[in-house]
Amino acid sequence: MGYCRLSPSSEPKSKLRQRFKVDRPISPPEKKDKITITIHLTPFNRAALVLSIITIQIVVHLYLSTLYFSAGDGFLPLIPVSVSTSCKEGLVYVYDLPKSFNTDLLRGRDALDNRFMIEETYSNDGFGPHVSSDFVSIIPSRFLSAWYATDQFAAEQIFHRRMLNHPCRTSDPTIATAFYIPFYVGLAVDRHLWNLAATPEQRDQDCSHLLRWLQDQPPFRRSNGWDHFLTISRITWNFRRQPGESWGSSFLVMPGMQNVTRLIIERSPWDSMDVAIPYPTSFHPHSAMQLQDWQNFVLEQDRRTLFGFAGAARPKIRGDFRSLINRSCEEAGSACRSVDCSDIKCLHGSAGTLELFLDSDFCLQPKGDSPTRRSVFDCMIAGAVPVFFWRETTRGQHSWFFPKEGGEDEWSVFIDRKKVRRGIVNIRKFLEGIGEEKLRKMRERVVDMIPRLVYAAGARGLGEGMEDAFDMALKGIFARFKEQKKRWR
């Protein structure tokens, strides 16, 4: 079947927005007769009463001072929360770690590319700087406030900020369901990751100190870490150094980490304590309304390109599949476009990659340095249908955020790379054969998934009952710990 182009639809495709419920005002209580009580106190009793009042005020002031925290754009109160309908899934306690384990790690220059200051890269609570003027010609101005130059390894800062602002955060560890460890382990390990002269002790120093601190905490000792979790902004393989190896840290195989759940951008299929979360993209909507507006926008795009590819070839790798994709794109002529990311053109999300994905029906997703890559999420939030060549890119990954395994053909395409190599399958002809109706349904399914793939800019999420990737992750944590607790009994 020939390649069929979809025309923009005039029918609204977003779900009906929820309406706010407004309660009726409560009538004021009826006035009652005023009763005056006179209490006669001795000078000694008066002095004791005044001293008691002053003591209570000091205690209250000290207590309240612990319930406030810096949240980037201001100070928000931490309200002690009791179990209620809004927090029926549980309460989360956030450890107040020494700054050497998180915010102090934001100082200095990037270890891999010293052109970038770490603090600037992860400014705006991890989202990074707002995008450049290049985006003005690509997307309507009403969306510009939601786009940032976000680094793909920013999950630790993004989660920390949202945890601090979460309405179900408690200041009382004795009633907490889950315990969050705001350790910026990705930044800690990155300082030595590219230094070939670094010793194993240097690579593990921050991680070892963190575990010693953690093992002194009563909640951790009580559960041995089963109800604790943290976010890791790099792939799992950077934290599994074995004896005799030189790459990365051994953090995830250290004693004390075996029971801790890790929210990580790429998990190990053989470790059930790893839970894959979406890579941060550059799109961080401020509200449910803005996100729904974006969904309509990408659905109505007039896409002129059949498939696109954003990435860099790896010519030094024998049989590099990306080089084969680039050749397939050149042979496809106007049906394919590509963006060469060999320099920094795609770093932190670029205008060029967004324009490519908004213009393409499909986006080719060969594996990166590991099975997963950020580009999968970049292309999906632009409404393009991802095309995979390795099963492990999706299977065993991101199961809390993608539809159940077995239904991947509803929102993605799989092409056997071995058949492409042998010339049995031509990428262009394969995608042209999918047909207009199926493509439309796949795109709508992809767009419907966008909320759970993005991290909202709002300190407490998207609102209006819409859940983003952070909400999905925390909900999954509560469900996981609830199930584990059943097994303890």
Side-chain angles (χ1 to χ4, degrees):
M1 183 181 293
Y3 168 48
C4 300
R5 190 173 313 283
L6 291 176
S7 58
S9 173
S10 60
E11 297 181 2
K13 296 182 176 67
S14 63
K15 298 177 181 178
L16 292 175
R17 298 192 178 101
Q18 298 180 358
R19 297 182 178 179
F20 290 102
K21 180 181 178 181
V22 181
D23 295 328
R24 294 182 178 179
I26 301 174
S27 301
E30 297 180 0
K31 293 184 178 180
K32 297 183 179 181
D33 294 335
K34 186 176 181 181
I35 299 175
T36 303
I37 299 176
T38 304
I39 300 176
H40 297 282
L41 299 174
T42 65
F44 175 79
N45 288 337
R46 283 198 297 271
L49 178 62
V50 170
L51 182 60
S52 298
I53 293 173
I54 292 173
T55 302
I56 292 172
Q57 288 177 331
I58 292 173
V59 170
V60 170
H61 175 76
L62 291 174
Y63 174 67
L64 291 177
S65 68
T66 66
L67 302 185
Y68 284 77
F69 54 89
S70 175
D73 52 354
F75 288 84
L76 296 178
L78 168 59
I79 304 172
V81 184
S82 59
V83 179
S84 64
T85 54
S86 60
C87 296
K88 59 184 178 181
E89 294 170 332
L91 302 173
V92 61
Y93 178 83
V94 181
Y95 279 109
D96 184 17
L97 297 183
K99 292 183 179 180
S100 59
F101 292 125
N102 44 51
T103 54
D104 282 356
L105 294 170
L106 294 170
R107 300 172 181 173
R109 293 186 177 273
D110 188 283
L112 181 61
D113 191 336
N114 62 15
R115 288 176 294 177
F116 298 101
M117 297 296 294
I118 298 176
E119 191 171 11
E120 181 180 358
T121 299
Y122 299 108
S123 60
N124 290 317
D125 298 305
F127 297 147
H130 278 283
V131 294
S132 66
S133 57
D134 296 342
F135 282 73
V136 175
S137 60
I138 299 171
I139 57 176
S141 59
R142 66 184 185 274
F143 296 125
L144 290 175
S145 65
W147 283 86
Y148 298 77
T150 304
D151 186 82
Q152 65 175 335
F153 302 130
E156 292 161 358
Q157 293 76 36
I158 293 172
F159 268 77
H160 190 190
R161 179 236 191 178
R162 287 288 296 277
M163 288 294 178
L164 291 176
N165 285 277
H166 201 274
C168 295
R169 177 190 170 204
T170 179
S171 58
D172 184 356
T174 65
I175 63 172
T177 310
F179 294 81
Y180 183 66
I181 309 164
F183 177 32
Y184 296 175
V185 60
L187 285 177
V189 171
D190 184 61
R191 293 190 297 175
H192 306 290
L193 195 61
W194 310 101
N195 181 6
L196 299 179
T199 65
E201 291 75 19
Q202 288 175 317
R203 295 178 184 277
D204 290 340
Q205 178 178 332
D206 294 308
C207 301
S208 298
H209 289 172
L210 181 278
L211 282 177
R212 282 199 292 271
W213 184 94
L214 195 60
Q215 288 166 343
D216 285 338
Q217 308 308 310
F220 190 87
R221 292 202 306 268
R222 183 177 63 248
S223 69
N224 199 24
W226 278 107
D227 51 4
H228 285 57
F229 70 109
L230 79 167
T231 308
I232 300 181
S233 63
R234 286 185 170 273
I235 61 176
T236 191
W237 317 111
N238 290 338
F239 306 92
R240 296 183 176 276
R241 193 190 71 246
Q242 299 296 322
E245 296 178 347
S246 59
W247 175 260
S249 165
S250 62
F251 182 51
L252 295 186
V253 296
M254 288 181 178
M257 276 302 296
Q258 63 269 26
N259 297 331
V260 178
T261 298
R262 316 104 190 202
L263 301 175
I264 192 165
I265 57 174
E266 179 179 311
R267 67 178 296 269
S268 165
W270 303 282
D271 191 339
S272 62
M273 304 311 292
D274 280 2
V275 175
I277 57 174
Y279 282 72
T281 67
S282 292
F283 180 49
H284 306 285
H286 291 267
S287 66
M289 183 177 295
Q290 187 178 47
L291 191 146
Q292 289 169 336
D293 190 14
W294 175 261
Q295 288 176 296
N296 284 332
F297 169 71
V298 297
L299 275 174
E300 295 166 0
Q301 281 295 294
D302 182 14
R303 299 173 188 267
R304 298 164 295 178
T305 305
L306 177 61
F307 63 102
F309 170 61
R314 309 289 174 83
K316 293 183 179 180
I317 298 177
R318 184 178 179 183
D320 176 39
F321 190 72
R322 292 186 177 196
S323 297
L324 180 58
I325 282 181
N326 279 333
R327 289 197 297 272
S328 298
C329 189
E330 292 173 0
E331 293 169 0
S334 61
C336 179
R337 289 177 54 204
S338 65
V339 172
D340 183 4
C341 300
S342 56
D343 191 11
I344 60 170
K345 297 175 183 176
C346 306
L347 192 63
H348 304 161
S350 69
T353 56
L354 176 59
E355 182 182 29
L356 172 71
F357 293 144
L358 285 173
D359 189 56
S360 302
D361 285 326
F362 299 95
C363 54
L364 306 186
Q365 297 297 336
K367 70 176 186 178
D369 296 323
S370 58
T372 66
R373 62 195 300 245
R374 166 179 165 161
S375 180
V376 172
F377 300 93
D378 287 336
C379 97
M380 291 180 71
I381 64 171
V385 177
V387 180
F388 301 118
F389 302 90
W390 277 261
R391 291 288 188 189
E392 55 265 38
T393 301
T394 55
R395 293 193 175 176
Q397 303 286 344
H398 308 103
S399 59
W400 289 6
F401 307 89
F402 288 164
K404 292 183 179 180
E405 290 185 4
E408 292 92 344
D409 59 347
E410 295 178 1
W411 57 274
S412 66
V413 175
F414 177 76
I415 299 178
D416 189 337
R417 67 185 182 281
K418 296 177 182 177
K419 292 183 179 180
V420 175
R421 287 188 186 279
R422 294 198 296 263
I424 299 173
V425 172
N426 178 279
I427 295 176
R428 175 179 180 173
K429 291 181 179 179
F430 188 96
L431 296 177
E432 285 178 336
I434 287 178
E436 179 180 351
E437 182 60 20
K438 185 174 181 180
L439 174 58
R440 181 185 63 79
K441 290 180 179 179
M442 294 173 77
R443 178 175 300 137
E444 289 179 352
R445 190 73 178 95
V446 166
V447 172
D448 187 56
M449 292 165 60
I450 291 177
R452 68 183 69 176
L453 305 181
V454 300
Y455 298 98
R460 291 192 172 177
L462 294 166
E464 298 187 42
M466 182 176 283
E467 295 175 324
D468 69 346
F470 172 88
D471 295 319
M472 297 292 293
L474 189 55
K475 178 186 286 188
I477 286 291
F478 283 138
R480 181 186 182 95
F481 290 172
K482 182 179 180 181
E483 186 62 31
Q484 288 177 173
K485 207 166 187 178
K486 290 179 181 177
R487 294 199 293 268
W488 296 346
R489 294 173 180 173

